[in-house]
Coordinates of all heavy atoms in Angstrom, one line a residue:
M1 N -5.9 24.6 5.9 CA -6.2 23.4 6.6 C -6.0 23.6 8.1 O -5.0 24.1 8.6 CB -5.2 22.3 6.1 CG -5.7 20.9 6.5 SD -4.6 19.6 5.9 CE -4.8 19.6 4.2
T2 N -7.0 23.2 8.9 CA -6.9 23.4 10.4 C -6.0 22.4 11.0 O -5.6 21.4 10.3 CB -8.3 23.3 11.0 OG1 -8.8 22.0 10.9 CG2 -9.3 24.3 10.4
D3 N -5.5 22.7 12.2 CA -4.6 21.7 12.8 C -5.3 20.3 13.0 O -4.6 19.3 12.8 CB -4.2 22.2 14.2 CG -3.2 23.3 14.1 OD1 -2.5 23.5 13.1 OD2 -3.0 24.0 15.1
Q4 N -6.6 20.3 13.3 CA -7.2 19.0 13.5 C -7.3 18.2 12.2 O -7.0 17.0 12.2 CB -8.7 19.2 14.0 CG -9.4 18.0 14.4 CD -10.7 18.2 15.0 OE1 -11.2 19.3 15.0 NE2 -11.3 17.2 15.5
R5 N -7.5 18.9 11.1 CA -7.5 18.2 9.8 C -6.1 17.7 9.5 O -5.9 16.6 8.9 CB -8.0 19.1 8.7 CG -9.4 19.3 8.7 CD -9.9 20.2 7.5 NE -11.3 20.4 7.5 CZ -11.9 21.2 6.7 NH1 -11.2 21.8 5.7 NH2 -13.2 21.4 6.7
L6 N -5.1 18.5 9.8 CA -3.7 18.1 9.5 C -3.3 16.9 10.4 O -2.8 15.9 9.9 CB -2.7 19.2 9.8 CG -1.2 18.9 9.6 CD1 -0.9 18.6 8.2 CD2 -0.4 20.1 10.1
Y7 N -3.7 16.9 11.6 CA -3.5 15.8 12.5 C -4.2 14.5 12.0 O -3.6 13.4 12.0 CB -3.9 16.1 14.0 CG -2.9 16.9 14.7 CD1 -2.3 18.0 14.2 CD2 -2.7 16.7 16.1 CE1 -1.4 18.8 14.9 CE2 -1.8 17.4 16.8 CZ -1.2 18.5 16.2 OH -0.3 19.3 16.9
R8 N -5.4 14.7 11.6 CA -6.2 13.6 11.1 C -5.5 13.0 9.8 O -5.4 11.8 9.6 CB -7.6 14.0 10.8 CG -8.5 12.8 10.3 CD -9.9 13.2 9.9 NE -10.6 13.4 11.1 CZ -11.8 13.9 11.1 NH1 -12.4 14.3 10.0 NH2 -12.5 14.1 12.3
F9 N -5.1 13.9 8.9 CA -4.5 13.5 7.7 C -3.2 12.7 7.9 O -2.9 11.7 7.4 CB -4.2 14.7 6.8 CG -3.4 14.4 5.5 CD1 -4.0 13.7 4.5 CD2 -2.1 14.7 5.4 CE1 -3.3 13.4 3.3 CE2 -1.4 14.4 4.3 CZ -2.0 13.7 3.3
L10 N -2.4 13.3 8.8 CA -1.1 12.7 9.1 C -1.2 11.5 10.1 O -0.3 10.6 10.1 CB -0.1 13.7 9.8 CG 0.3 14.8 8.9 CD1 1.2 15.8 9.7 CD2 1.1 14.3 7.7
G11 N -2.3 11.4 10.9 CA -2.4 10.3 11.8 C -1.7 10.6 13.1 O -1.4 9.7 13.9
G12 N -1.5 11.9 13.4 CA -0.9 12.3 14.7 C -0.3 13.6 14.5 O -0.4 14.3 13.4
S13 N 0.5 14.1 15.5 CA 1.2 15.3 15.3 C 2.3 15.2 14.3 O 2.9 14.1 14.2 CB 1.7 15.8 16.7 OG 2.8 15.0 17.0
P14 N 2.7 16.3 13.6 CA 3.8 16.1 12.6 C 5.1 15.6 13.2 O 5.7 14.8 12.5 CB 3.9 17.6 12.1 CG 2.6 18.2 12.3 CD 2.1 17.6 13.6
G15 N 5.4 16.0 14.4 CA 6.7 15.5 15.0 C 6.6 14.0 15.2 O 7.6 13.3 14.9
Q16 N 5.5 13.5 15.8 CA 5.4 12.1 16.0 C 5.4 11.3 14.7 O 6.0 10.2 14.6 CB 4.1 11.8 16.8 CG 4.1 12.2 18.2 CD 2.7 12.0 18.8 OE1 1.7 12.0 18.1 NE2 2.7 11.9 20.1
V17 N 4.7 11.8 13.7 CA 4.7 11.1 12.4 C 6.1 11.1 11.8 O 6.5 10.0 11.3 CB 3.7 11.8 11.4 CG1 3.8 11.3 10.1 CG2 2.3 11.7 12.0
I18 N 6.9 12.2 11.9 CA 8.2 12.2 11.4 C 9.1 11.2 12.1 O 9.8 10.4 11.5 CB 8.8 13.6 11.4 CG1 8.1 14.5 10.4 CG2 10.3 13.5 11.2 CD1 8.5 15.9 10.5
L19 N 9.0 11.1 13.4 CA 9.8 10.1 14.2 C 9.4 8.7 13.8 O 10.2 7.8 13.7 CB 9.6 10.4 15.7 CG 10.3 11.6 16.3 CD1 9.9 11.8 17.7 CD2 11.8 11.4 16.1
R20 N 8.1 8.5 13.7 CA 7.6 7.1 13.3 C 8.1 6.7 11.9 O 8.6 5.6 11.7 CB 6.1 7.2 13.3 CG 5.5 5.8 13.4 CD 3.9 5.8 13.5 NE 3.5 6.8 14.5 CZ 2.4 7.5 14.3 NH1 1.7 7.4 13.2 NH2 2.0 8.4 15.2
L21 N 8.1 7.7 11.0 CA 8.6 7.4 9.6 C 10.1 7.1 9.6 O 10.6 6.2 8.9 CB 8.2 8.5 8.7 CG 6.7 8.6 8.3 CD1 6.5 9.9 7.5 CD2 6.3 7.4 7.6
V22 N 10.8 7.9 10.4 CA 12.3 7.7 10.5 C 12.6 6.3 11.1 O 13.4 5.5 10.6 CB 12.9 8.8 11.4 CG1 14.4 8.4 11.8 CG2 12.9 10.1 10.7
F23 N 11.9 5.9 12.2 CA 12.1 4.6 12.8 C 11.7 3.5 11.8 O 12.5 2.5 11.6 CB 11.2 4.5 14.1 CG 11.3 3.2 14.7 CD1 12.4 2.8 15.4 CD2 10.2 2.3 14.6 CE1 12.5 1.5 15.9 CE2 10.3 1.0 15.2 CZ 11.4 0.6 15.8
L24 N 10.5 3.6 11.2 CA 10.1 2.6 10.2 C 11.1 2.5 9.0 O 11.4 1.4 8.6 CB 8.7 2.8 9.8 CG 7.6 2.5 10.8 CD1 6.2 2.9 10.3 CD2 7.6 1.1 11.2
S25 N 11.5 3.6 8.6 CA 12.5 3.6 7.5 C 13.8 2.9 7.9 O 14.3 2.1 7.1 CB 12.8 5.0 7.0 OG 11.7 5.7 6.5
F26 N 14.2 3.1 9.1 CA 15.4 2.4 9.6 C 15.2 0.9 9.7 O 16.0 0.1 9.2 CB 15.8 3.0 11.0 CG 17.0 2.3 11.6 CD1 18.3 2.5 11.1 CD2 16.8 1.4 12.6 CE1 19.4 1.9 11.6 CE2 17.9 0.7 13.1 CZ 19.2 1.0 12.6
V27 N 14.1 0.5 10.2 CA 13.7 -0.9 10.4 C 13.7 -1.6 9.0 O 14.2 -2.7 8.8 CB 12.4 -1.1 11.2 CG1 12.0 -2.6 11.1 CG2 12.6 -0.7 12.6
V28 N 12.9 -1.0 8.1 CA 12.8 -1.5 6.7 C 14.2 -1.6 6.0 O 14.5 -2.5 5.3 CB 11.8 -0.7 5.9 CG1 11.9 -1.1 4.4 CG2 10.4 -0.9 6.4
G29 N 15.0 -0.6 6.3 CA 16.4 -0.6 5.7 C 17.2 -1.7 6.2 O 17.9 -2.4 5.5
V30 N 17.1 -2.0 7.5 CA 17.8 -3.1 8.1 C 17.3 -4.4 7.5 O 18.1 -5.3 7.1 CB 17.7 -3.1 9.6 CG1 18.2 -4.4 10.2 CG2 18.4 -1.9 10.3
I31 N 16.0 -4.6 7.4 CA 15.4 -5.8 6.8 C 15.9 -6.0 5.4 O 16.3 -7.1 5.0 CB 13.9 -5.8 6.9 CG1 13.5 -5.9 8.4 CG2 13.3 -6.9 6.1 CD1 12.0 -5.7 8.7
L32 N 15.8 -4.9 4.6 CA 16.2 -5.1 3.2 C 17.7 -5.3 3.1 O 18.1 -6.1 2.2 CB 15.9 -3.8 2.4 CG 14.4 -3.5 2.2 CD1 14.1 -2.2 1.5 CD2 13.8 -4.7 1.4
S33 N 18.5 -4.8 3.9 CA 19.9 -5.0 3.9 C 20.2 -6.5 4.3 O 21.0 -7.1 3.7 CB 20.6 -4.1 4.9 OG 22.0 -4.4 4.9
A34 N 19.4 -7.0 5.3 CA 19.6 -8.4 5.7 C 19.2 -9.4 4.5 O 19.8 -10.4 4.3 CB 18.8 -8.8 6.9
L35 N 18.2 -8.9 3.7 CA 17.8 -9.7 2.5 C 18.7 -9.4 1.3 O 18.4 -10.0 0.2 CB 16.3 -9.4 2.2 CG 15.3 -9.8 3.3 CD1 13.9 -9.3 2.9 CD2 15.3 -11.3 3.4
D36 N 19.7 -8.6 1.5 CA 20.6 -8.2 0.4 C 19.9 -7.6 -0.8 O 20.1 -7.9 -1.9 CB 21.4 -9.4 0.0 CG 22.7 -9.0 -0.8 OD1 23.2 -7.9 -0.5 OD2 23.2 -9.8 -1.6
L37 N 18.9 -6.7 -0.5 CA 18.2 -6.0 -1.5 C 18.5 -4.5 -1.5 O 18.6 -3.9 -0.4 CB 16.7 -6.2 -1.3 CG 16.1 -7.5 -1.6 CD1 14.6 -7.5 -1.2 CD2 16.2 -7.8 -3.1
E38 N 18.7 -4.0 -2.6 CA 19.0 -2.5 -2.8 C 17.7 -1.9 -3.4 O 17.0 -2.5 -4.1 CB 20.2 -2.3 -3.7 CG 21.5 -2.9 -3.1 CD 22.0 -2.1 -1.9 OE1 21.8 -0.9 -1.8 OE2 22.6 -2.7 -1.0
P39 N 17.5 -0.6 -3.1 CA 16.3 0.1 -3.6 C 16.3 0.0 -5.2 O 15.2 -0.2 -5.7 CB 16.5 1.5 -3.2 CG 17.3 1.4 -1.9 CD 18.2 0.3 -2.1
L40 N 17.4 0.2 -5.8 CA 17.4 0.1 -7.3 C 17.1 -1.3 -7.8 O 16.5 -1.4 -8.9 CB 18.7 0.6 -7.9 CG 19.0 2.1 -7.7 CD1 20.4 2.4 -8.3 CD2 18.0 2.9 -8.4
Q41 N 17.4 -2.3 -7.0 CA 17.0 -3.7 -7.4 C 15.5 -3.8 -7.4 O 14.9 -4.5 -8.2 CB 17.7 -4.7 -6.5 CG 19.1 -4.9 -6.7 CD 19.7 -5.9 -5.7 OE1 19.3 -5.9 -4.5 NE2 20.5 -6.8 -6.1
I42 N 14.9 -3.3 -6.3 CA 13.5 -3.3 -6.2 C 12.8 -2.6 -7.4 O 11.8 -3.2 -8.0 CB 13.0 -2.8 -4.9 CG1 13.6 -3.6 -3.7 CG2 11.5 -2.7 -4.7 CD1 13.4 -3.0 -2.3
V43 N 13.3 -1.5 -7.7 CA 12.7 -0.7 -8.9 C 12.9 -1.5 -10.1 O 12.0 -1.7 -11.0 CB 13.4 0.7 -9.0 CG1 13.0 1.4 -10.3 CG2 13.0 1.5 -7.8
D44 N 14.1 -2.1 -10.3 CA 14.4 -2.9 -11.5 C 13.4 -4.1 -11.5 O 12.9 -4.5 -12.6 CB 15.8 -3.4 -11.5 CG 16.2 -4.2 -12.7 OD1 15.9 -3.6 -13.8 OD2 16.8 -5.3 -12.6
M45 N 13.2 -4.8 -10.4 CA 12.2 -5.9 -10.4 C 10.8 -5.5 -10.8 O 10.1 -6.2 -11.5 CB 12.2 -6.6 -9.0 CG 13.4 -7.4 -8.7 SD 13.3 -8.4 -7.2 CE 13.3 -7.1 -5.9
A46 N 10.4 -4.3 -10.3 CA 9.1 -3.8 -10.7 C 9.0 -3.5 -12.2 O 8.0 -3.8 -12.8 CB 8.8 -2.6 -9.9
V47 N 10.1 -2.9 -12.7 CA 10.1 -2.6 -14.2 C 10.0 -3.9 -15.0 O 9.3 -4.0 -16.0 CB 11.3 -1.8 -14.5 CG1 11.5 -1.7 -16.0 CG2 11.2 -0.4 -13.9
R48 N 10.8 -4.9 -14.6 CA 10.8 -6.2 -15.3 C 9.5 -6.9 -15.2 O 9.0 -7.5 -16.2 CB 11.9 -7.1 -14.8 CG 13.3 -6.7 -15.3 CD 14.4 -7.7 -15.0 NE 14.8 -7.5 -13.6 CZ 15.0 -8.4 -12.7 NH1 14.8 -9.7 -13.0 NH2 15.3 -8.1 -11.5
F49 N 8.8 -6.7 -14.1 CA 7.5 -7.3 -13.9 C 6.5 -6.7 -14.9 O 5.7 -7.4 -15.6 CB 7.0 -7.1 -12.5 CG 5.6 -7.5 -12.2 CD1 5.2 -8.9 -12.2 CD2 4.5 -6.6 -12.1 CE1 3.9 -9.2 -12.0 CE2 3.2 -6.9 -11.9 CZ 2.9 -8.3 -11.8
V50 N 6.5 -5.3 -15.0 CA 5.6 -4.7 -16.0 C 6.0 -5.1 -17.4 O 5.1 -5.3 -18.2 CB 5.7 -3.1 -15.7 CG1 5.0 -2.4 -16.8 CG2 5.1 -2.8 -14.4
Q51 N 7.3 -5.2 -17.7 CA 7.7 -5.6 -19.0 C 7.1 -7.0 -19.4 O 6.7 -7.2 -20.5 CB 9.2 -5.6 -19.2 CG 9.8 -4.2 -19.3 CD 11.3 -4.2 -19.3 OE1 11.9 -5.2 -18.8 NE2 11.9 -3.2 -19.8
R52 N 7.2 -7.9 -18.4 CA 6.7 -9.3 -18.6 C 5.2 -9.3 -18.8 O 4.7 -10.0 -19.7 CB 7.1 -10.2 -17.4 CG 8.5 -10.8 -17.6 CD 8.7 -11.8 -16.5 NE 9.7 -11.3 -15.6 CZ 9.6 -11.2 -14.3 NH1 8.5 -11.7 -13.7 NH2 10.5 -10.6 -13.6
L53 N 4.5 -8.4 -18.1 CA 3.1 -8.3 -18.3 C 2.8 -7.8 -19.7 O 1.9 -8.3 -20.4 CB 2.4 -7.4 -17.2 CG 2.2 -7.9 -15.8 CD1 1.6 -6.9 -15.0 CD2 1.3 -9.2 -15.9
W54 N 3.5 -6.8 -20.1 CA 3.3 -6.2 -21.5 C 3.6 -7.3 -22.5 O 2.9 -7.4 -23.5 CB 4.2 -5.0 -21.6 CG 4.1 -4.4 -23.0 CD1 4.8 -4.6 -24.1 CD2 3.0 -3.4 -23.3 NE1 4.3 -3.8 -25.1 CE2 3.2 -3.1 -24.6 CE3 2.0 -2.8 -22.6 CZ2 2.4 -2.2 -25.3 CZ3 1.2 -1.9 -23.3 CH2 1.4 -1.6 -24.6
E55 N 4.7 -8.1 -22.3 CA 5.0 -9.1 -23.3 C 4.0 -10.2 -23.4 O 3.8 -10.9 -24.4 CB 6.4 -9.7 -23.0 CG 7.5 -8.7 -23.2 CD 8.8 -9.1 -22.7 OE1 8.9 -10.2 -22.1 OE2 9.8 -8.3 -22.8
M56 N 3.3 -10.5 -22.2 CA 2.3 -11.5 -22.2 C 1.1 -11.1 -23.0 O 0.3 -12.0 -23.4 CB 1.9 -11.9 -20.8 CG 3.0 -12.6 -20.0 SD 2.6 -12.8 -18.3 CE 1.1 -13.6 -18.3
G57 N 0.9 -9.8 -23.2 CA -0.2 -9.4 -24.0 C -1.5 -9.1 -23.2 O -1.4 -9.0 -22.0
F58 N -2.6 -9.0 -23.9 CA -3.8 -8.7 -23.3 C -4.4 -9.8 -22.5 O -5.3 -9.5 -21.7 CB -4.8 -8.2 -24.3 CG -4.4 -6.8 -24.9 CD1 -3.8 -6.8 -26.2 CD2 -4.5 -5.7 -24.2 CE1 -3.4 -5.6 -26.7 CE2 -4.1 -4.5 -24.7 CZ -3.6 -4.4 -26.0
D59 N -4.0 -11.0 -22.6 CA -4.4 -12.1 -21.7 C -4.1 -11.8 -20.3 O -4.8 -12.1 -19.4 CB -3.8 -13.4 -22.1 CG -4.4 -14.0 -23.4 OD1 -5.5 -13.6 -23.7 OD2 -3.8 -14.8 -24.0
A60 N -2.9 -11.2 -20.1 CA -2.5 -10.8 -18.8 C -3.5 -9.8 -18.2 O -3.8 -9.9 -17.0 CB -1.1 -10.2 -18.8
L61 N -3.9 -8.8 -19.0 CA -4.9 -7.9 -18.4 C -6.2 -8.6 -18.0 O -6.8 -8.2 -17.0 CB -5.2 -6.8 -19.5 CG -4.0 -5.9 -19.8 CD1 -4.4 -4.9 -20.9 CD2 -3.5 -5.2 -18.6
G62 N -6.6 -9.5 -18.8 CA -7.8 -10.3 -18.4 C -7.6 -11.0 -17.1 O -8.5 -11.1 -16.2
N63 N -6.4 -11.6 -16.9 CA -6.1 -12.3 -15.6 C -6.1 -11.3 -14.5 O -6.5 -11.6 -13.4 CB -4.8 -13.0 -15.7 CG -4.9 -14.3 -16.6 OD1 -6.0 -14.8 -16.8 ND2 -3.8 -14.7 -17.1
I64 N -5.5 -10.1 -14.7 CA -5.4 -9.1 -13.7 C -6.8 -8.7 -13.3 O -7.1 -8.6 -12.1 CB -4.5 -7.9 -14.1 CG1 -3.1 -8.4 -14.2 CG2 -4.7 -6.7 -13.2 CD1 -2.2 -7.3 -14.8
L65 N -7.7 -8.5 -14.3 CA -9.0 -8.1 -14.0 C -9.7 -9.2 -13.2 O -10.5 -8.9 -12.2 CB -9.8 -7.7 -15.2 CG -11.2 -7.3 -15.1 CD1 -11.3 -6.0 -14.3 CD2 -11.9 -7.1 -16.4
R66 N -9.5 -10.4 -13.6 CA -10.1 -11.5 -12.9 C -9.7 -11.6 -11.4 O -10.5 -11.8 -10.5 CB -9.8 -12.8 -13.6 CG -10.4 -14.1 -13.0 CD -10.2 -15.3 -13.9 NE -10.2 -16.5 -13.1 CZ -9.1 -17.1 -12.7 NH1 -7.9 -16.8 -13.1 NH2 -9.2 -18.2 -12.0
Y67 N -8.4 -11.5 -11.2 CA -7.8 -11.5 -9.8 C -8.4 -10.3 -9.0 O -8.7 -10.5 -7.8 CB -6.3 -11.4 -9.8 CG -5.6 -12.6 -10.5 CD1 -4.4 -12.4 -11.1 CD2 -6.1 -13.8 -10.5 CE1 -3.7 -13.5 -11.7 CE2 -5.5 -14.9 -11.0 CZ -4.3 -14.7 -11.6 OH -3.6 -15.8 -12.2
F68 N -8.5 -9.2 -9.7 CA -9.1 -8.0 -9.0 C -10.5 -8.3 -8.5 O -10.9 -8.0 -7.4 CB -9.1 -6.8 -9.9 CG -9.8 -5.6 -9.4 CD1 -9.3 -4.8 -8.4 CD2 -11.1 -5.3 -9.9 CE1 -10.0 -3.7 -7.9 CE2 -11.8 -4.3 -9.4 CZ -11.3 -3.5 -8.4
V69 N -11.3 -8.8 -9.4 CA -12.7 -9.1 -9.0 C -12.8 -10.2 -7.9 O -13.6 -10.0 -7.0 CB -13.5 -9.6 -10.3 CG1 -14.9 -10.1 -9.9 CG2 -13.6 -8.4 -11.3
I70 N -12.0 -11.2 -8.0 CA -12.0 -12.2 -7.0 C -11.6 -11.6 -5.7 O -12.2 -11.9 -4.6 CB -11.0 -13.4 -7.4 CG1 -11.6 -14.2 -8.6 CG2 -10.8 -14.3 -6.2 CD1 -10.6 -15.2 -9.2
G71 N -10.6 -10.8 -5.6 CA -10.1 -10.2 -4.4 C -11.2 -9.2 -3.9 O -11.4 -9.1 -2.7
A72 N -11.8 -8.4 -4.8 CA -12.8 -7.4 -4.4 C -14.0 -8.1 -3.7 O -14.6 -7.5 -2.8 CB -13.2 -6.6 -5.6
V73 N -14.3 -9.3 -4.2 CA -15.5 -10.0 -3.6 C -15.2 -10.2 -2.1 O -16.2 -10.2 -1.3 CB -15.7 -11.3 -4.3 CG1 -16.7 -12.2 -3.5 CG2 -16.2 -11.0 -5.7
I74 N -14.0 -10.3 -1.7 CA -13.7 -10.5 -0.2 C -13.4 -9.2 0.4 O -13.9 -8.9 1.5 CB -12.5 -11.5 -0.1 CG1 -12.7 -12.8 -0.8 CG2 -12.1 -11.6 1.3 CD1 -13.9 -13.6 -0.2
V75 N -12.6 -8.4 -0.2 CA -12.1 -7.2 0.5 C -13.1 -6.1 0.7 O -13.2 -5.5 1.7 CB -10.9 -6.6 -0.4 CG1 -10.5 -5.2 0.1 CG2 -9.7 -7.5 -0.3
V76 N -13.9 -5.9 -0.3 CA -14.9 -4.8 -0.2 C -16.0 -5.0 0.9 O -16.2 -4.1 1.7 CB -15.6 -4.5 -1.6 CG1 -16.8 -3.6 -1.5 CG2 -14.6 -4.0 -2.6
P77 N -16.6 -6.2 1.0 CA -17.5 -6.4 2.1 C -16.8 -6.3 3.5 O -17.4 -5.7 4.4 CB -18.0 -7.8 1.9 CG -17.8 -8.1 0.4 CD -16.6 -7.3 0.0
I78 N -15.6 -6.8 3.6 CA -14.9 -6.7 4.9 C -14.7 -5.2 5.2 O -14.9 -4.7 6.3 CB -13.6 -7.5 4.9 CG1 -13.9 -9.0 4.9 CG2 -12.7 -7.1 6.1 CD1 -12.7 -9.8 4.7
W79 N -14.2 -4.4 4.2 CA -14.0 -3.0 4.4 C -15.3 -2.3 4.8 O -15.3 -1.5 5.7 CB -13.4 -2.4 3.1 CG -13.3 -0.9 3.2 CD1 -12.4 -0.2 3.8 CD2 -14.2 0.0 2.6 NE1 -12.6 1.2 3.6 CE2 -13.8 1.3 2.9 CE3 -15.4 -0.1 1.9 CZ2 -14.4 2.4 2.5 CZ3 -16.1 1.0 1.4 CH2 -15.6 2.3 1.7
L80 N -16.4 -2.6 4.1 CA -17.7 -2.0 4.3 C -18.1 -2.3 5.7 O -18.6 -1.4 6.5 CB -18.7 -2.5 3.3 CG -20.1 -1.8 3.3 CD1 -19.9 -0.3 3.1 CD2 -21.0 -2.4 2.3
V81 N -18.0 -3.5 6.2 CA -18.5 -3.9 7.5 C -17.6 -3.2 8.6 O -18.1 -2.6 9.6 CB -18.4 -5.4 7.7 CG1 -18.6 -5.8 9.2 CG2 -19.5 -6.1 6.9
S82 N -16.3 -3.1 8.3 CA -15.4 -2.4 9.3 C -15.7 -0.9 9.4 O -15.7 -0.4 10.5 CB -13.9 -2.7 8.9 OG -13.6 -1.9 7.8
R83 N -16.0 -0.3 8.3 CA -16.4 1.1 8.3 C -17.7 1.3 9.0 O -17.8 2.3 9.8 CB -16.5 1.7 6.9 CG -15.2 1.7 6.1 CD -14.1 2.4 6.8 NE -14.4 3.8 6.9 CZ -13.7 4.7 7.6 NH1 -12.6 4.3 8.2 NH2 -14.0 6.0 7.6
V84 N -18.7 0.5 8.8 CA -20.0 0.6 9.5 C -19.8 0.4 11.0 O -20.3 1.2 11.8 CB -21.0 -0.4 8.9 CG1 -22.2 -0.5 9.8 CG2 -21.4 0.0 7.5
L85 N -19.0 -0.6 11.4 CA -18.8 -0.8 12.8 C -18.0 0.3 13.4 O -18.3 0.7 14.6 CB -18.0 -2.1 13.0 CG -18.8 -3.4 12.7 CD1 -17.9 -4.6 12.8 CD2 -20.0 -3.5 13.6
Q86 N -17.1 0.9 12.7 CA -16.3 2.0 13.2 C -17.2 3.3 13.3 O -17.0 4.0 14.3 CB -15.1 2.3 12.2 CG -14.1 3.3 12.8 CD -12.9 3.4 11.9 OE1 -13.0 3.3 10.7 NE2 -11.7 3.6 12.4
M87 N -18.1 3.5 12.4 CA -19.0 4.6 12.6 C -19.9 4.4 13.8 O -20.3 5.4 14.4 CB -19.9 4.8 11.3 CG -19.1 5.3 10.1 SD -20.1 5.6 8.7 CE -21.2 6.9 9.3
G88 N -20.3 3.2 14.1 CA -21.1 2.9 15.2 C -20.4 3.2 16.5 O -21.0 3.6 17.5
R89 N -19.1 3.0 16.6 CA -18.4 3.4 17.8 C -18.2 4.9 18.0 O -18.2 5.3 19.1 CB -16.9 2.8 17.7 CG -16.9 1.3 17.8 CD -15.5 0.8 17.8 NE -15.5 -0.6 17.4 CZ -14.5 -1.1 16.6 NH1 -13.5 -0.4 16.3 NH2 -14.6 -2.3 16.2
R90 N -18.1 5.6 16.9 CA -18.0 7.1 17.0 C -19.3 7.7 17.5 O -19.3 8.7 18.2 CB -17.6 7.7 15.7 CG -16.2 7.4 15.3 CD -15.9 8.1 14.0 NE -14.6 7.7 13.5 CZ -14.2 7.9 12.3 NH1 -14.9 8.5 11.4 NH2 -13.0 7.5 11.9
G91 N -20.4 7.3 16.9 CA -21.7 7.9 17.1 C -22.5 7.3 18.2 O -22.9 7.4 19.2

């Protein structure tokens, strides 16, 4: 992988990305601490959410698919337009 591809993948130089991630991790840690949330609590909430979905049965999957389609009707065209506009700026 060339340096340019690495920079593009990371979104900047490796050092800058590491510093940015360290800073963001600290900020998120402070926010989660202020909300009195621990990482294991978040994982536990996610596991319980999946368990509830499983217990609800296949109706939940139908609802999830419905929500996905409703969201995709809005998100995909916005994404497509933004990509086309971004390509226009480059070329």
Side-chain angles (χ1 to χ4, degrees):
M1 194 181 289
T2 66
D3 283 344
Q4 188 175 9
R5 285 185 182 173
L6 180 63
Y7 280 42
R8 181 183 286 169
F9 174 75
L10 293 177
S13 72
Q16 289 175 335
V17 173
I18 289 172
L19 286 175
R20 199 175 315 140
L21 289 174
V22 166
F23 176 74
L24 287 174
S25 296
F26 177 75
V27 170
V28 169
V30 169
I31 292 170
L32 290 176
S33 180
L35 295 174
D36 199 28
L37 287 173
E38 296 291 327
L40 290 178
Q41 286 177 319
I42 296 170
V43 171
D44 186 49
M45 286 188 290
V47 168
R48 281 188 281 135
F49 174 74
V50 171
Q51 285 175 337
R52 275 189 251 127
L53 283 179
W54 182 263
E55 291 167 0
M56 289 171 58
F58 291 102
D59 287 339
L61 294 178
N63 287 338
I64 289 173
L65 182 62
R66 184 172 152 255
Y67 296 150
F68 170 76
V69 170
I70 290 171
V73 167
I74 302 299
V75 171
V76 171
I78 291 172
W79 172 81
L80 186 61
V81 168
S82 70
R83 295 304 295 172
V84 168
L85 291 176
Q86 193 173 32
M87 285 183 68
R89 288 186 206 142
R90 287 186 190 163

